[in-house]
Amino acid sequence: MLNGLLKLIYDLNKSGIITIQRMCFTCSNYQLEQGVHYCKLLKSQLAENELRIDCQEHELQI
Ligand code: SF4
């Protein structure tokens, strides 16, 4: 359920409906491989409940 909510927030953000800018899904440090979330900055896998929507270390994808 949390993953679905995060996906919804991501889609709303991409559509310009909301302006959250610092979530994992829009971060250049974020990777998703074979269903595993990973943060290159933290050098750590992220459980779904560890995905962030307002991370101070966020780096926007360009
Ligand atoms: S730096 Fe923050 S926003 Fe970016 S992937 Fe890591 S935990 Fe997520």
Side-chain angles (χ1 to χ4, degrees), residues 22-25 27-31 38-42 46 50-52 55-59:
R22 303 196 303 179
M23 66 188 306
C24 288
F25 292 165
C27 179
S28 60
N29 292 309
Y30 172 77
Q31 288 183 322
Y38 186 79
C39 175
K40 292 186 284 186
L41 180 70
L42 300 176
L46 300 170
E50 295 174 319
L51 292 169
R52 299 178 185 177
C55 175
Q56 293 187 353
E57 285 74 44
H58 181 275
E59 294 180 31

Side-chain angles (χ1 to χ4, degrees), residues 3-62:
N3 196 38
L5 180 58
L6 291 172
K7 173 81 168 59
L8 176 62
I9 291 170
Y10 174 69
D11 288 342
L12 290 171
N13 184 32
K14 287 204 76 165
S15 301
I17 296 170
I18 60 174
T19 58
I20 290 173
Q21 300 293 330
R22 303 196 303 179
M23 66 188 306
C24 288
F25 292 165
T26 63
C27 179
S28 60
N29 292 309
Y30 172 77
Q31 288 183 322
L32 176 64
E33 289 188 21
Q34 299 178 344
V36 176
H37 307 285
Y38 186 79
C39 175
K40 292 186 284 186
L41 180 70
L42 300 176
K43 298 185 170 97
S44 173
Q45 291 184 5
L46 300 170
E48 288 193 355
N49 64 357
E50 295 174 319
L51 292 169
R52 299 178 185 177
I53 57 171
D54 191 23
C55 175
Q56 293 187 353
E57 285 74 44
H58 181 275
E59 294 180 31
L60 190 63
Q61 295 171 347
I62 47 178

